[in-house]
Amino acid sequence: MKKLDAFRVHLWYSGLGSFGGTLVWTAMMVYQVQIVGLTPLQLVLVGTTMEVTAFLFEIPTGIVADVYSRRLSTIIGVFLIGVAYLVEVSVPTFAALIIGNIIWSIGYTFTSGAYQAWLVDEVGQERAGAAFIRGGQVGRIAGLLGIPTAVALGTIYLGLPVIVGGLIHIVAAVYLLLFMPETGFTPTPAPDRNTFQKMGDTFSAGLKVIRGRPKLMSILAVGLFFGLFSEAWDRLWQAHLIRNFNIAGVFGLPTIWIFGIMDAILMVIGFTGLEIMRRRLDTNNPVKLTRAVFWLTAVMVVGIIAYGLSPVLGVALIAWLGFMIARDLIGAPLDTWTNQHIDSNVRATVLSMRSQTDAIGQIVGGPPLGLIGQQSVRLAFIASGAVLSPALLILNWVREREKRGALIAEAEVVEVTPPPPPPLSSPPPPSPPGNRGAPPPRPPGK
């Protein structure tokens, strides 16, 4: 079957994936809290299991994508993610959630790095930033449509949106199988696939790229701090509103309706923010990209701490909105900046290493923050903000380095630019009238 244009496939997949994901995650945490009845520590441990699995599989699947096929790796991953959602709600137990999250993590590692690398290779580095942003916008529109669908299905049964979302991911995998092209990637020749030598070489090349580029080392360090803080937020923010603020009682609505409305507001603001970013942010300028990532991270730090300290529901919701908008917008500039510093032949591997550092952070930071959450969920959020804050120091260092690099590049351009040609010498004054063309007068006495 004829493959479609990669940009178009990206937009369709962004829509399908976001619609299905919105169905799942509008209901998933409410399902885990209200139907399964998980404690704060159990909520975090579900996520920690996910991250341990991701840590173990991230590099092997990234290398497979660089050696065999990024297209095939993405298709396998999307399919497994869909299956995982079905497993998670097959039985309302902690064990089913653990098994489903293991499957989900394996699927995610097949897509992590591979999909971004596929897109950059297919559309080109110059169009990649615009593609990431436009795909994010399409995803938010689709997610906006998914919210009322999730609310309607969740009113019937909280596990139903998860089931439908899982089926949509399986449909998305079939769509990619039929229409996803792969013309910008050259797989390893078949004779080299029979041993692990090529995989080892690819992994070594990825490490060499990272060690030789301090900016990539810095971005991996930032990913580590993002992982350290995020597990507590991802698993506990909804439980905080449900148990500590009784949000359903305050608004007099079913919990899933309230979270659906919150997600809808976030989708609209996120879409608008991405449009502003698309128009005003030069995605080919590393200095501006780093600056954007720095300030969005700063908003996240302030937002999560304010969320933990908020004494009343209204203040908590404002802090939640600020944090979520910043986190929602940071992905496109971060992905674009990272890809600008990676060679194509190891792109999926290096991106997988970035995801793996995030997984390490969540593995290390999740359980301690979960234990803090057992005593005080508020304190867990404050601690999460403190854990994230060192990322600002790293990003500021990168930003200053980018500025110096830009100044040096401008100076070099000035040096190699040839000086303008000297002005033409003035012509001699004209001869007096009547003597035009006459020889000069002789000196007296000659």
Side-chain angles (χ1 to χ4, degrees), residues 195-414:
T195 69
F196 289 97
Q197 181 64 42
K198 180 59 181 178
M199 289 188 176
D201 291 344
T202 303
F203 179 67
S204 299
L207 284 177
K208 184 177 180 180
V209 168
I210 292 173
R211 286 197 301 264
R213 300 182 186 180
K215 294 175 186 176
L216 278 180
M217 289 290 290
S218 300
I219 223 61
L220 292 181
V222 169
L224 177 66
F225 286 107
F226 270 66
L228 286 170
F229 99 90
S230 63
E231 194 64 27
W233 173 267
D234 291 336
R235 301 294 164 178
L236 299 179
W237 76 263
Q238 289 179 320
H240 181 47
L241 295 179
I242 293 171
R243 292 174 175 169
N244 294 338
F245 287 105
N246 187 24
I247 191 169
V250 171
F251 288 102
L253 293 172
T255 305
I256 192 171
W257 286 34
I258 297 171
F259 287 133
I261 294 170
M262 292 171 64
D263 286 342
I265 294 172
L266 182 63
M267 290 281 185
V268 172
I269 296 177
F271 179 88
T272 305
L274 279 175
E275 181 61 22
I276 295 173
M277 182 182 293
R278 186 184 70 84
R279 295 186 179 188
R280 298 192 176 184
L281 179 62
D282 182 2
T283 55
N284 292 314
N285 187 322
V287 176
K288 294 182 178 180
L289 284 173
T290 310
R291 182 171 58 195
V293 173
F294 173 86
W295 285 111
L296 289 171
T297 303
V299 173
M300 290 170 59
V301 171
V302 174
I304 193 171
I305 294 176
Y307 187 73
L309 293 173
S310 300
V312 295
L313 179 60
V315 177
L317 292 176
I318 293 172
W320 169 84
L321 187 62
F323 173 89
M324 292 296 283
I325 290 173
R327 194 184 193 189
D328 200 34
L329 295 178
I330 202 170
L334 188 59
D335 284 342
T336 304
W337 186 92
T338 305
N339 276 283
Q340 288 176 346
H341 296 82
I342 309 175
D343 300 327
S344 175
N345 63 315
V346 293
R347 180 169 282 128
T349 300
V350 174
L351 291 176
S352 290
M353 289 177 180
R354 190 188 75 174
S355 295
Q356 195 175 42
T357 59
D358 181 270
I360 292 172
Q362 295 193 46
I363 293 168
V364 173
L369 290 173
L371 287 172
I372 294 174
Q374 285 285 91
Q375 305 302 317
S376 170
V377 174
R378 292 180 180 275
L379 188 57
F381 293 129
I382 296 170
S384 296
V387 167
L388 177 60
S389 59
L392 292 173
L393 299 177
I394 300 172
L395 286 169
N396 187 62
W397 177 83
V398 174
R399 184 172 61 164
E400 294 301 321
R401 192 180 180 91
E402 295 280 13
K403 287 181 180 178
R404 289 195 298 270
L407 291 175
I408 293 172
E410 290 178 2
E412 290 176 349
V413 169
V414 171

Side-chain angles (χ1 to χ4, degrees), residues 161-185:
V162 182
I163 294 172
V164 177
L167 294 174
I168 289 175
H169 275 79
I170 293 174
V171 170
V174 174
Y175 169 81
L176 294 176
L177 179 65
L178 295 176
F179 300 112
M180 186 179 188
E182 189 168 43
T183 59
F185 170 69

Side-chain angles (χ1 to χ4, degrees), residues 96-169:
L97 291 171
I98 292 292
I99 295 171
N101 273 273
I102 291 173
I103 299 173
W104 186 94
S105 296
I106 297 173
Y108 170 77
T109 58
F110 271 103
T111 64
S112 172
Y115 182 76
Q116 294 91 336
W118 167 82
L119 181 61
V120 173
D121 284 343
E122 294 297 314
V123 304
Q125 185 65 62
E126 295 76 15
R127 298 178 63 201
F132 283 124
I133 293 176
R134 183 62 79 187
Q137 290 180 307
V138 171
R140 280 151 186 79
I141 293 174
L144 196 60
L145 297 175
I147 290 171
T149 307
V151 170
L153 294 174
T155 304
I156 301 171
Y157 172 60
L158 278 174
L160 190 56
V162 182
I163 294 172
V164 177
L167 294 174
I168 289 175
H169 275 79

Side-chain angles (χ1 to χ4, degrees), residues 423-429:
L424 296 176
S425 56
S426 301

